[in-house]
């Protein structure tokens, strides 16, 4: 049996950590720590995708806000 250098367990831990960070930042936002200033047509305003609003500071409609979001983490 050949094992991958990146075991699926490691990958699962990475994904789990990423999702936990996404949930954490969304909870912080709900508590008023952050405010999303993106336009209404930004991808991060879509239900479901908003979870990753803070951990994926890319492709936002507003470049200045994308940069600011990246600096928040
Ligand atoms: Zn956005």
């Amino acid at each position: 049996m050949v094992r991958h250098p990146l075991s699926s367990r490691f990958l699962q831990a990475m994904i789990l950590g990423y999702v936990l960070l996404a949930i954490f930042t969304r909870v912080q936002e709900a508590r008023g720590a952050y405010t999303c200033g993106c336009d209404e047509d930004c991808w991060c305003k879509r239900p479901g995708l908003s979870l990753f609003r803070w951990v994926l500071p890319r492709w936002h409609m507003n470049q200045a806000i994308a940069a600011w979001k990246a600096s928040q983490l």
Side-chain angles (χ1 to χ4, degrees):
M1 222 175 101
V2 181
R3 280 186 65 94
H4 265 273
L6 268 178
S7 71
S8 60
R9 269 191 84 127
F10 179 76
L11 206 63
Q12 279 175 13
M14 289 285 287
I15 293 167
L16 185 67
Y18 189 76
V19 170
L20 283 176
L21 182 65
I23 292 168
F24 175 75
T25 51
R26 279 294 281 137
V27 169
Q28 290 288 96
E29 187 190 355
R31 292 171 67 201
Y34 309 122
T35 305
C36 181
C38 278
D39 298 333
E40 284 302 314
D41 55 351
C42 184
W43 66 263
C44 72
K45 293 286 183 182
R46 289 167 187 252
L49 291 178
S50 66
L51 180 65
F52 301 100
R53 177 182 289 162
W54 299 98
V55 289
L56 189 63
R58 302 190 69 174
W59 312 298
H60 290 284
M61 298 298 283
N62 190 321
Q63 288 303 308
I65 284 171
W68 176 79
K69 276 179 175 175
S71 70
Q72 292 298 299
L73 294 177

